[in-house]
Amino acid sequence: MFTRALRTRLCSPLAFEHTASVRRSYGSVPIAQKLTINGDRLWDDIHYTAQFSAPSPGGVTRLCADENDKLARDWFGEQVLQLGAEYKVNATGSQFAKFGGEDDTIPPIAMGSHLDTVATGGRFDGPLGVISGLEVIRSFKEQGIMTRAPLVLINWTNEEGARFFPPLGSSTVYAGQSSIDAAHASLSNDGSGITMGNELAKIGYVGDGPNTFEEFPISAHFEVHVEQATDLEKAGKPVGWVEGWQGISYYEVVFTGEDGHANTYPMYGRRDALTGAAKLIVQLETLAYAKNGYTTVTNIQSGPSGACNIQSKTKVVFCLMHRETEGLEDMGIDIVRSIQGIAALHGLEYELTRPVHLLPDNFWPEAVDCVRRACGDKGIGSRTGTAHDSTMTRLKCPTGMVFVRGKDGISHCAKEWSDKEDCKEGALVLGKAVLNFDAYLQQQVAKA
Amino acid sequence: MFTRALRTRLCSPLAFEHTASVRRSYGSVPIAQKLTINGDRLWDDIHYTAQFSAPSPGGVTRLCADENDKLARDWFGEQVLQLGAEYKVNATGSQFAKFGGEDDTIPPIAMGSHLDTVATGGRFDGPLGVISGLEVIRSFKEQGIMTRAPLVLINWTNEEGARFFPPLGSSTVYAGQSSIDAAHASLSNDGSGITMGNELAKIGYVGDGPNTFEEFPISAHFEVHVEQATDLEKAGKPVGWVEGWQGISYYEVVFTGEDGHANTYPMYGRRDALTGAAKLIVQLETLAYAKNGYTTVTNIQSGPSGACNIQSKTKVVFCLMHRETEGLEDMGIDIVRSIQGIAALHGLEYELTRPVHLLPDNFWPEAVDCVRRACGDKGIGSRTGTAHDSTMTRLKCPTGMVFVRGKDGISHCAKEWSDKEDCKEGALVLGKAVLNFDAYLQQQVAKA
């Protein structure tokens, strides 16, 4: 019924020929129109799970594989088992909760996001997506809704990269962009040398569940997320369908100079790695303005540690963001020239890597359309400024995202906020999008 | 014989009226002229003890109260006990090895320096001073030289401040500029939160020896040190007498901005603490050139740690150095204005402290003269660009320093180097200076 050829076609990132046909339908399928969401329970779970956090007034600090992440994962496991899930943890700690459909030969439709947060982050970035998915499963059960395709709810590991670099620590493996070994070897941003693999093992979250799309294919991936910008707020809309993303490059540069006495060594002839790094940071700010993009330095580590050393080694991690490919590439060329110039001026050596290079692009139109129809007149089209686990799954299968209005575009901050009614609307759109896609799958199978 | 009044006068930093009289004599006392030093043994000990180090090719990394510092301390304790010392460790871990004189009612003449080093430091800064003192004691014993005053050899704790801030961790307590509790509470520069007191206790170096000058007065303090500049090298002289020091201020500034998403938050309205800190670092370089002083940033810590956060809190520790008081004060005024301006421009709050503020000044002329006469025509007068434990003892008693020629002024670096013959000459000058001062003390007592 659901042929391998069709699956392959559905799961090709080039399957854009569906656009025209899916755009013909302008609303959710009938079953989706009846769906309701228990907004109180959703809201309560968001704030209940916020307790699994290091002290973080008003917000959440739940770093990948820390003791609070373990508590949140344990809670998630209990919830999905209570709902009758077939539950697995994979080698990089991602939690998969599968629920049967009418035809279990069809790859499941996935809802996924992450329960980890950044340090001093908010209550919504990540958890809103997972908990919305949980609420959709609960609502389907309560309202007797059975999809044709099975469903899977995924809590992806280390989306944020807040503790271990690089981010999207498990979804990159799933999408074939990294390996289990590489993910396990991800180093802590604090320079302490601890790895994600060891820390996941410590909390008991290295499992035997599926690691790659090829092992465990999914028909589609949908994700609810706070917008982290102000398009919805300005338009007065609670939700949005996410059409695509801006381009993002992460660079890591390590400047190496020479040791010297901080008080006595002459200014002339110094090879001060930190002074070089500071000039780079200042130039990054200028670059953002000059190119109408965004730039942020996200990590600096410098040594030797001490009170009386010229700094001989300084690592800087920074990201460049631009809505257009040309703009992003242009910024990259400029900043590499800056690094070369700084190194030449200060007598520094440097090592430069670009661990992330994500060109701006669009999500799969058939998935976006399912979200768009689910939003109806409560939503607008928007774009995300950052990467999500969905940015990885879209390499393998139709992927769409639901945005929920946030306050003032503030995110990765304790002040991050979305109203209860908006969160409820986001979960409702997620559920409707899944039902729309389930119907779309049936339509494709019928055509095949 | 040695009255309390005289002691007080000798130990007053204002006792400069002695200068004229001591300048009348132009050479070392007769006993000092016969002194010899075993250069092989001195050289061997310098390189033998360099093994007590974390891996540090060519140099030494022996941080205060780490396992290698313990080994070096243990070695020092064994050496002085073999020489018959009355041996004590004080509450901040400093090791005091006292050797009797002809008149033990006289406060001992001290030789002191430090066995701790900076990270990725050299073999001479610190150890040369302690081992030279040890070699002087050995030579006195072997050559039957008995001083009238007792002698004490001191290994001061945490001179470098490489692991725990602030530096001069024990000599500040001795000089009444800090307390045992404050020294114990000195925090690690790496932001890990460990304290000097706990780490000293771990290696068994919190003792009941004397902590302050008042508990254990000394008649004088002499210290051998590598020059860390190029005056001796340029003059073709192996040794020098240190007339004084340049001014040094250390500042710690913590900029606090606001958390935000690194990829999505608009450039406008950001309160990025690290960008502010980078501008400060760049301005510090300019300030050094503009004011003909020195500036160095010695530590930067920024957070939240992660891959996707605007940096909301950045700590920068930096030092300003100038040969003249006016220059130092002027630089301080300028940089505080810069910090205020940066904070205003970037919407940052800041906390600023100045944990070290050492105005340029001179060592005690009676002690300097003893070193000058010991150097004879092998030395020149020089000035140090940094602080030493002697900078603290001079608050309490006549203090002088011996410089040993280093290569290219390089210090706090594995390349730091002094030739064997120069080290031998330095230890010889130390011994002669002690004997000169012992004779000077007798002369003062005779006058009293």
Side-chain angles (χ1 to χ4, degrees), chain A residues 9 17 35 57 77 91 95 110 187 226 259 269 285 330 337 389 393 421 430 434:
Chain A
R9 190 155 63 84
E17 67 276 12
L35 180 69
Q95 297 171 282
L187 282 166
V226 285
D259 289 321
E285 189 193 41
D330 204 22
R337 280 193 191 135
D389 292 311
T393 60
E421 284 305 311
L430 176 66
V434 166

PDB file of all heavy atoms in Angstrom, chain A residues 9 17 35 57 77 91 95 110 187 226 259 269 285 330 337 389 393 421 430 434:
ATOM      1  N   ARG A   9      10.123   9.063  -2.296  1.00  0.00           N
ATOM      2  CA  ARG A   9       9.743  10.319  -2.933  1.00  0.00           C
ATOM      3  C   ARG A   9       9.288  11.336  -1.868  1.00  0.00           C
ATOM      4  O   ARG A   9       9.690  12.488  -1.868  1.00  0.00           O
ATOM      5  CB  ARG A   9       8.632  10.073  -3.960  1.00  0.00           C
ATOM      6  CG  ARG A   9       8.331  11.275  -4.848  1.00  0.00           C
ATOM      7  CD  ARG A   9       7.724  10.806  -6.180  1.00  0.00           C
ATOM      8  NE  ARG A   9       6.451  10.127  -5.965  1.00  0.00           N
ATOM      9  CZ  ARG A   9       5.293  10.775  -5.833  1.00  0.00           C
ATOM     10  NH1 ARG A   9       5.238  12.079  -5.871  1.00  0.00           N
ATOM     11  NH2 ARG A   9       4.189  10.108  -5.655  1.00  0.00           N
ATOM     12  N   GLU A  17       7.458  19.376  -5.999  1.00  0.00           N
ATOM     13  CA  GLU A  17       6.379  19.368  -7.008  1.00  0.00           C
ATOM     14  C   GLU A  17       4.989  19.224  -6.376  1.00  0.00           C
ATOM     15  O   GLU A  17       3.989  19.450  -7.011  1.00  0.00           O
ATOM     16  CB  GLU A  17       6.621  18.267  -8.056  1.00  0.00           C
ATOM     17  CG  GLU A  17       6.520  16.838  -7.539  1.00  0.00           C
ATOM     18  CD  GLU A  17       7.816  16.358  -6.911  1.00  0.00           C
ATOM     19  OE1 GLU A  17       8.719  17.182  -6.663  1.00  0.00           O
ATOM     20  OE2 GLU A  17       7.937  15.159  -6.636  1.00  0.00           O
ATOM     21  N   LEU A  35     -10.810  19.001  16.628  1.00  0.00           N
ATOM     22  CA  LEU A  35      -9.823  18.784  17.707  1.00  0.00           C
ATOM     23  C   LEU A  35      -9.851  19.927  18.734  1.00  0.00           C
ATOM     24  O   LEU A  35     -10.001  21.095  18.378  1.00  0.00           O
ATOM     25  CB  LEU A  35      -8.415  18.672  17.102  1.00  0.00           C
ATOM     26  CG  LEU A  35      -7.260  18.456  18.076  1.00  0.00           C
ATOM     27  CD1 LEU A  35      -7.326  17.073  18.716  1.00  0.00           C
ATOM     28  CD2 LEU A  35      -5.910  18.634  17.358  1.00  0.00           C
ATOM     29  N   PRO A  57      16.037  32.214  38.530  1.00  0.00           N
ATOM     30  CA  PRO A  57      14.801  32.919  38.889  1.00  0.00           C
ATOM     31  C   PRO A  57      13.926  33.292  37.678  1.00  0.00           C
ATOM     32  O   PRO A  57      14.361  34.001  36.782  1.00  0.00           O
ATOM     33  CB  PRO A  57      15.316  34.185  39.588  1.00  0.00           C
ATOM     34  CG  PRO A  57      16.648  33.780  40.142  1.00  0.00           C
ATOM     35  CD  PRO A  57      17.217  32.812  39.144  1.00  0.00           C
ATOM     36  N   GLY A  77       9.388  10.243  30.169  1.00  0.00           N
ATOM     37  CA  GLY A  77       9.247   8.793  29.994  1.00  0.00           C
ATOM     38  C   GLY A  77       8.001   8.260  30.691  1.00  0.00           C
ATOM     39  O   GLY A  77       7.239   7.469  30.119  1.00  0.00           O
ATOM     40  N   ALA A  91      21.145   6.032  21.322  1.00  0.00           N
ATOM     41  CA  ALA A  91      22.529   6.103  21.830  1.00  0.00           C
ATOM     42  C   ALA A  91      22.945   7.511  22.217  1.00  0.00           C
ATOM     43  O   ALA A  91      23.839   7.702  23.047  1.00  0.00           O
ATOM     44  CB  ALA A  91      23.483   5.554  20.774  1.00  0.00           C
ATOM     45  N   GLN A  95      14.727  10.546  23.253  1.00  0.00           N
ATOM     46  CA  GLN A  95      13.623   9.700  23.698  1.00  0.00           C
ATOM     47  C   GLN A  95      12.572   9.614  22.589  1.00  0.00           C
ATOM     48  O   GLN A  95      12.079  10.657  22.131  1.00  0.00           O
ATOM     49  CB  GLN A  95      13.003  10.274  24.971  1.00  0.00           C
ATOM     50  CG  GLN A  95      13.968  10.314  26.151  1.00  0.00           C
ATOM     51  CD  GLN A  95      13.385  11.084  27.329  1.00  0.00           C
ATOM     52  OE1 GLN A  95      13.375  12.304  27.319  1.00  0.00           O
ATOM     53  NE2 GLN A  95      12.905  10.355  28.332  1.00  0.00           N
ATOM     54  N   ALA A 110       6.116  12.352  13.032  1.00  0.00           N
ATOM     55  CA  ALA A 110       6.794  12.722  14.276  1.00  0.00           C
ATOM     56  C   ALA A 110       6.407  14.123  14.742  1.00  0.00           C
ATOM     57  O   ALA A 110       6.181  15.027  13.927  1.00  0.00           O
ATOM     58  CB  ALA A 110       8.309  12.652  14.084  1.00  0.00           C
ATOM     59  N   LEU A 187      32.393  18.296  23.231  1.00  0.00           N
ATOM     60  CA  LEU A 187      33.044  18.821  24.437  1.00  0.00           C
ATOM     61  C   LEU A 187      32.228  19.929  25.083  1.00  0.00           C
ATOM     62  O   LEU A 187      31.540  20.701  24.404  1.00  0.00           O
ATOM     63  CB  LEU A 187      34.424  19.369  24.071  1.00  0.00           C
ATOM     64  CG  LEU A 187      35.530  18.330  23.865  1.00  0.00           C
ATOM     65  CD1 LEU A 187      36.727  18.967  23.174  1.00  0.00           C
ATOM     66  CD2 LEU A 187      35.949  17.730  25.207  1.00  0.00           C
ATOM     67  N   VAL A 226       8.494  28.626  20.323  1.00  0.00           N
ATOM     68  CA  VAL A 226       8.266  30.077  20.472  1.00  0.00           C
ATOM     69  C   VAL A 226       8.967  30.794  19.325  1.00  0.00           C
ATOM     70  O   VAL A 226      10.031  30.369  18.871  1.00  0.00           O
ATOM     71  CB  VAL A 226       8.788  30.622  21.829  1.00  0.00           C
ATOM     72  CG1 VAL A 226       7.855  30.215  22.937  1.00  0.00           C
ATOM     73  CG2 VAL A 226      10.214  30.195  22.104  1.00  0.00           C
ATOM     74  N   ASP A 259      53.507  33.426  25.545  1.00  0.00           N
ATOM     75  CA  ASP A 259      53.457  33.742  26.977  1.00  0.00           C
ATOM     76  C   ASP A 259      54.378  34.911  27.297  1.00  0.00           C
ATOM     77  O   ASP A 259      55.407  35.101  26.649  1.00  0.00           O
ATOM     78  CB  ASP A 259      53.908  32.521  27.791  1.00  0.00           C
ATOM     79  CG  ASP A 259      52.887  31.401  27.754  1.00  0.00           C
ATOM     80  OD1 ASP A 259      51.690  31.700  27.796  1.00  0.00           O
ATOM     81  OD2 ASP A 259      53.288  30.228  27.675  1.00  0.00           O
ATOM     82  N   GLY A 269      56.178  44.191  20.638  1.00  0.00           N
ATOM     83  CA  GLY A 269      56.647  42.815  20.530  1.00  0.00           C
ATOM     84  C   GLY A 269      55.764  41.805  21.225  1.00  0.00           C
ATOM     85  O   GLY A 269      56.032  40.616  21.179  1.00  0.00           O
ATOM     86  N   GLU A 285      30.800  43.199  15.554  1.00  0.00           N
ATOM     87  CA  GLU A 285      29.654  44.112  15.730  1.00  0.00           C
ATOM     88  C   GLU A 285      29.512  45.014  14.506  1.00  0.00           C
ATOM     89  O   GLU A 285      28.416  45.187  13.961  1.00  0.00           O
ATOM     90  CB  GLU A 285      29.838  44.947  17.006  1.00  0.00           C
ATOM     91  CG  GLU A 285      28.594  45.742  17.343  1.00  0.00           C
ATOM     92  CD  GLU A 285      28.840  46.804  18.405  1.00  0.00           C
ATOM     93  OE1 GLU A 285      29.893  47.476  18.359  1.00  0.00           O
ATOM     94  OE2 GLU A 285      27.963  46.978  19.266  1.00  0.00           O
ATOM     95  N   ASP A 330      29.107  36.538   2.118  1.00  0.00           N
ATOM     96  CA  ASP A 330      29.825  37.806   2.109  1.00  0.00           C
ATOM     97  C   ASP A 330      30.382  38.128   3.509  1.00  0.00           C
ATOM     98  O   ASP A 330      31.550  38.521   3.667  1.00  0.00           O
ATOM     99  CB  ASP A 330      28.788  38.871   1.699  1.00  0.00           C
ATOM    100  CG  ASP A 330      29.429  40.079   1.095  1.00  0.00           C
ATOM    101  OD1 ASP A 330      30.567  39.971   0.613  1.00  0.00           O
ATOM    102  OD2 ASP A 330      28.765  41.147   1.115  1.00  0.00           O
ATOM    103  N   ARG A 337      38.902  37.512   6.480  1.00  0.00           N
ATOM    104  CA  ARG A 337      39.940  38.517   6.188  1.00  0.00           C
ATOM    105  C   ARG A 337      40.319  39.283   7.450  1.00  0.00           C
ATOM    106  O   ARG A 337      41.487  39.587   7.687  1.00  0.00           O
ATOM    107  CB  ARG A 337      39.448  39.498   5.121  1.00  0.00           C
ATOM    108  CG  ARG A 337      39.557  38.926   3.734  1.00  0.00           C
ATOM    109  CD  ARG A 337      39.357  40.015   2.674  1.00  0.00           C
ATOM    110  NE  ARG A 337      39.213  39.386   1.372  1.00  0.00           N
ATOM    111  CZ  ARG A 337      38.300  39.715   0.468  1.00  0.00           C
ATOM    112  NH1 ARG A 337      37.445  40.703   0.700  1.00  0.00           N
ATOM    113  NH2 ARG A 337      38.245  39.086  -0.678  1.00  0.00           N
ATOM    114  N   ASP A 389      15.822  21.291  15.743  1.00  0.00           N
ATOM    115  CA  ASP A 389      15.931  19.893  15.320  1.00  0.00           C
ATOM    116  C   ASP A 389      15.240  19.695  13.973  1.00  0.00           C
ATOM    117  O   ASP A 389      15.670  18.874  13.162  1.00  0.00           O
ATOM    118  CB  ASP A 389      15.354  18.975  16.401  1.00  0.00           C
ATOM    119  CG  ASP A 389      16.217  18.993  17.662  1.00  0.00           C
ATOM    120  OD1 ASP A 389      17.449  18.839  17.546  1.00  0.00           O
ATOM    121  OD2 ASP A 389      15.666  19.199  18.755  1.00  0.00           O
ATOM    122  N   THR A 393      15.802  17.360  10.541  1.00  0.00           N
ATOM    123  CA  THR A 393      14.871  16.360   9.982  1.00  0.00           C
ATOM    124  C   THR A 393      14.472  16.711   8.546  1.00  0.00           C
ATOM    125  O   THR A 393      14.229  15.823   7.742  1.00  0.00           O
ATOM    126  CB  THR A 393      13.594  16.225  10.844  1.00  0.00           C
ATOM    127  OG1 THR A 393      12.927  17.487  10.890  1.00  0.00           O
ATOM    128  CG2 THR A 393      13.943  15.780  12.262  1.00  0.00           C
ATOM    129  N   GLU A 421      -3.062  31.212  26.340  1.00  0.00           N
ATOM    130  CA  GLU A 421      -3.964  30.989  25.203  1.00  0.00           C
ATOM    131  C   GLU A 421      -3.183  30.775  23.911  1.00  0.00           C
ATOM    132  O   GLU A 421      -3.600  30.008  23.039  1.00  0.00           O
ATOM    133  CB  GLU A 421      -4.928  32.182  25.045  1.00  0.00           C
ATOM    134  CG  GLU A 421      -6.042  32.195  26.073  1.00  0.00           C
ATOM    135  CD  GLU A 421      -6.845  30.877  26.071  1.00  0.00           C
ATOM    136  OE1 GLU A 421      -7.253  30.435  24.984  1.00  0.00           O
ATOM    137  OE2 GLU A 421      -7.031  30.290  27.165  1.00  0.00           O
ATOM    138  N   LEU A 430      -0.511  22.262  16.051  1.00  0.00           N
ATOM    139  CA  LEU A 430       0.343  21.080  15.886  1.00  0.00           C
ATOM    140  C   LEU A 430      -0.517  19.841  15.621  1.00  0.00           C
ATOM    141  O   LEU A 430      -0.264  19.076  14.674  1.00  0.00           O
ATOM    142  CB  LEU A 430       1.193  20.866  17.140  1.00  0.00           C
ATOM    143  CG  LEU A 430       2.071  19.603  17.157  1.00  0.00           C
ATOM    144  CD1 LEU A 430       3.168  19.677  16.091  1.00  0.00           C
ATOM    145  CD2 LEU A 430       2.683  19.378  18.542  1.00  0.00           C
ATOM    146  N   VAL A 434      -0.727  17.641  12.105  1.00  0.00           N
ATOM    147  CA  VAL A 434      -0.477  16.193  12.046  1.00  0.00           C
ATOM    148  C   VAL A 434      -1.640  15.495  11.339  1.00  0.00           C
ATOM    149  O   VAL A 434      -1.437  14.630  10.470  1.00  0.00           O
ATOM    150  CB  VAL A 434      -0.244  15.629  13.466  1.00  0.00           C
ATOM    151  CG1 VAL A 434      -0.331  14.109  13.486  1.00  0.00           C
ATOM    152  CG2 VAL A 434       1.103  16.108  14.012  1.00  0.00           C
TER     153      VAL A 434
END
